[in-house]
Amino acid sequence: MSNSFLVAILAGLGAMLGWGISDFFAKKSVDKVGSVVFIFWLQLISLISLAFYIPFSNQWQNYPYEQWPKILILVAINLLATYLFYKALEKGKVSIISPINASYPVFAIPISVFFFHEQISSGILILLVTIIVGIILTSLDIKGILEDGFDKNDFNKGVPLVLMNVALLAIWIPFWDDFISDKSWVMSLFIFRVMLVSMFGVFILAKKIKVGISERSTMKWVVISALLFSIAGISFDWGFGTTTHTSLITALSATFPAPTLLLGRIFLKEKLQLTQWFGVGLILLSLVVMGFI
């Protein structure tokens, strides 16, 4: 096994565990303080964590100012996607929202093919269709549809929001990968975080939103979620910035709902219909297989 391949596996698994456990604590947090307050602390703590990491990375460098407009656009897309995801998490079950959120490769891959001329096999196309079936089964109340026909209430809470988030991530992922491919991924991520926190801070000030968290237990959940989120992001971009195994990293990291589902079932007592579990299984299994085709 080459060093590059091993780095890709470690990066993907690090992102998987970080995001997966982070989502569990995020659900506990947004239920208490709401999505906007949680996102502020999530991004601020992530920025501080990354700032502490930079001296150990040996990748500090001056960033070309002509690149800032591009990264600002990527920040805006990612910030909107982040808001939609945590708003969906606030409304729905983490056991449903997290797997659907993980399905962004189903949309990211066609965009990579169209804009960056990546080649995909017939096996990948079959897996994409399988993931779409999994999304449908996970998103819908099949039992309710069979009982009284289809209506808008048969969409599980938060599903429309997380689907919009997935669409935005599908745009962001390929362009972010292309953007950092010839740059220091650490500095790119640091500038990205600075701009994101600044942009969101302006929004909070304009809306006069109070971001204080009085309950110590809730603040503890927020900090744990943010630190894990930061570790996952560093792991993800480390893999993207140091290897060419983009699909493998994307597929492994996209299985992050696995630890989320386990924790949600044990501690939040979330229950899913059999068809929803089947849909979740289709999504995760397809994403794992996709990384090795």
Side-chain angles (χ1 to χ4, degrees):
M1 183 182 296
S2 68
N3 288 338
S4 176
F5 192 74
L6 180 60
V7 167
I9 291 176
L10 292 175
L13 290 176
M16 180 267 282
L17 291 172
W19 281 326
I21 302 173
S22 175
D23 278 357
F24 167 72
F25 285 102
K27 172 60 178 174
K28 292 173 69 69
S29 301
V30 297
D31 285 349
K32 292 284 186 178
V33 301
S35 53
V36 172
V37 173
F38 174 78
I39 291 171
F40 170 78
W41 286 106
L42 174 76
Q43 299 297 345
L44 180 61
I45 294 172
S46 297
L47 173 59
I48 294 171
S49 302
L50 185 60
F52 276 106
Y53 172 74
I54 285 178
F56 302 98
S57 69
N58 296 318
Q59 293 196 41
W60 179 268
Q61 64 181 43
N62 294 325
Y63 212 78
Y65 290 102
E66 63 269 17
Q67 298 292 330
W68 287 27
K70 293 181 181 179
I71 203 169
L72 189 60
I73 294 173
L74 290 169
V75 165
I77 295 172
N78 186 269
L79 184 57
L80 180 56
T82 300
Y83 172 76
L84 289 169
F85 170 66
Y86 287 109
K87 194 65 180 178
L89 204 60
E90 184 181 348
K91 290 177 175 292
K93 295 179 178 179
V94 68
S95 301
I96 290 175
I97 300 303
S98 186
I100 295 175
N101 179 54
S103 68
Y104 58 82
V106 74
F107 303 103
I109 289 175
I111 289 176
S112 293
V113 171
F114 183 80
F115 286 100
F116 303 110
H117 309 293
E118 287 192 12
Q119 301 295 318
I120 60 173
S121 65
S122 57
I124 291 291
L125 291 176
I126 293 172
L127 290 172
L128 294 182
V129 173
T130 304
I131 291 174
I132 291 174
V133 173
I135 292 173
I136 293 171
L137 292 175
T138 307
S139 302
L140 297 176
D141 179 4
I142 301 297
K143 184 178 179 180
I145 294 174
L146 293 175
E147 289 177 351
D148 54 17
F150 178 78
D151 58 59
K152 64 179 182 180
N153 294 325
D154 291 316
F155 273 107
N156 289 289
K157 292 181 180 179
V159 166
L161 292 173
V162 76
L163 288 176
M164 288 188 285
N165 158 72
V166 166
L168 288 173
L169 279 181
I171 296 170
W172 182 79
I173 288 288
F175 283 95
W176 176 250
D177 180 30
D178 180 69
F179 182 78
I180 68 172
S181 60
D182 58 349
K183 304 175 183 68
S184 164
W185 67 270
V186 174
M187 285 307 302
S188 298
L189 187 58
F190 180 70
I191 298 298
F192 177 86
R193 291 274 179 238
V194 169
M195 287 188 172
L196 195 150
V197 170
S198 300
M199 185 182 293
F200 200 59
V202 170
F203 169 78
I204 287 174
L205 288 174
K207 293 293 185 179
K208 299 179 180 179
I209 299 172
K210 296 180 180 180
V211 296
I213 300 176
S214 57
E215 293 186 14
R216 293 183 63 182
S217 60
T218 303
M219 191 66 202
K220 180 176 68 176
W221 296 336
V222 172
V223 171
I224 292 173
S225 180
L227 289 175
L228 289 169
F229 178 85
S230 181
I231 291 171
I234 290 172
S235 179
F236 187 72
D237 277 20
W238 169 55
F240 267 25
T242 57
T243 80
T244 58
H245 300 290
T246 302
S247 296
L248 175 60
I249 296 168
T250 300
L252 287 176
S253 64
T255 62
F256 65 83
T260 308
L261 286 165
L262 180 62
L263 293 171
R265 184 70 181 90
I266 294 173
F267 295 103
L268 301 179
K269 309 302 181 184
E270 291 186 348
K271 295 181 179 180
L272 302 182
Q273 296 179 16
L274 183 59
T275 53
Q276 291 172 327
W277 280 116
F278 184 65
V280 169
L282 285 178
I283 294 171
L284 297 185
L285 181 60
S286 298
L287 290 172
V288 171
V289 174
M290 187 181 296
F292 299 96
I293 291 183

